[in-house]
Amino acid sequence: MHRGPALIAVSAVLLTVAAPRTALTQHDHHAPQVLGNVSFKTSCAAAVQPRFDRAVAMLHSFWFEQANAAFAEVAAADSTCAMASWGIAMTQWGNPFVRQPTPAERQRLGLAAAERAAALGARATAREQAYVNAALALWRDADR
């Protein structure tokens, strides 16, 4: 089979694009810091703040499974952290740009996490309560 210059060029581009993606999707806590820095202050325990910031960076980098696990770790370390449950709710939404319906199970998990965040909201700041209320509105009307 003859491989012309165009095929070689396309292959090179695909390898260049695909190689970094593989590195970025690793679920390895020892992977290099590639997500950037996030500072999202919460009323959660100070000890969990760095993990919460990392989870938000994962969420905004479309690492939904890893973000979900990271928010769950924050919730386990600080059971009163409403924003950890908010984060779990938001990971269930997934990529809003794919324009496909969210599966029923993820809708159920998202609503449950948002409701858990609201139930924990007594200690949350007004800003955090606004985030939680937005997640509740998102999941209560997920079918619309």
Side-chain angles (χ1 to χ4, degrees), residues 103-120:
E105 178 63 9
R106 287 202 359 235
Q107 287 183 29
R108 186 188 67 74
L109 293 170
L111 179 58
E115 288 173 339
R116 191 169 44 256
L120 292 170

Side-chain angles (χ1 to χ4, degrees), residues 8-9 40-42 48 57 62 69 71 80 93 99 103-104 111 130 139:
I8 292 170
F40 190 110
K41 299 298 178 204
T42 68
V48 301
F62 296 74
F71 284 121
T80 65
W93 192 28
R99 296 185 181 235
L111 179 58
W139 287 114

Side-chain angles (χ1 to χ4, degrees), residues 14-30:
L14 289 175
L15 286 174
T16 302
V17 171
R21 178 110 175 112
T22 302
L24 292 176
T25 59
Q26 293 179 12
H27 183 33
D28 179 2
H29 294 289
H30 303 292

Side-chain angles (χ1 to χ4, degrees), residues 15-103:
L15 286 174
T16 302
V17 171
R21 178 110 175 112
T22 302
L24 292 176
T25 59
Q26 293 179 12
H27 183 33
D28 179 2
H29 294 289
H30 303 292
Q33 170 64 288
V34 295
L35 298 176
N37 297 314
V38 169
S39 179
F40 190 110
K41 299 298 178 204
T42 68
S43 60
C44 302
V48 301
Q49 187 64 55
R51 287 187 277 174
F52 182 86
D53 288 343
R54 177 89 172 143
V56 171
M58 291 175 183
L59 173 65
H60 286 271
S61 296
F62 296 74
W63 289 16
F64 302 114
E65 289 180 37
Q66 294 90 338
N68 189 289
F71 284 121
E73 288 175 10
V74 171
D78 180 359
S79 63
T80 65
C81 179
M83 292 304 289
S85 293
W86 165 84
I88 291 169
M90 296 312 297
T91 65
Q92 296 304 312
W93 192 28
N95 185 344
F97 301 113
V98 297
R99 296 185 181 235
Q100 293 180 354
T102 303

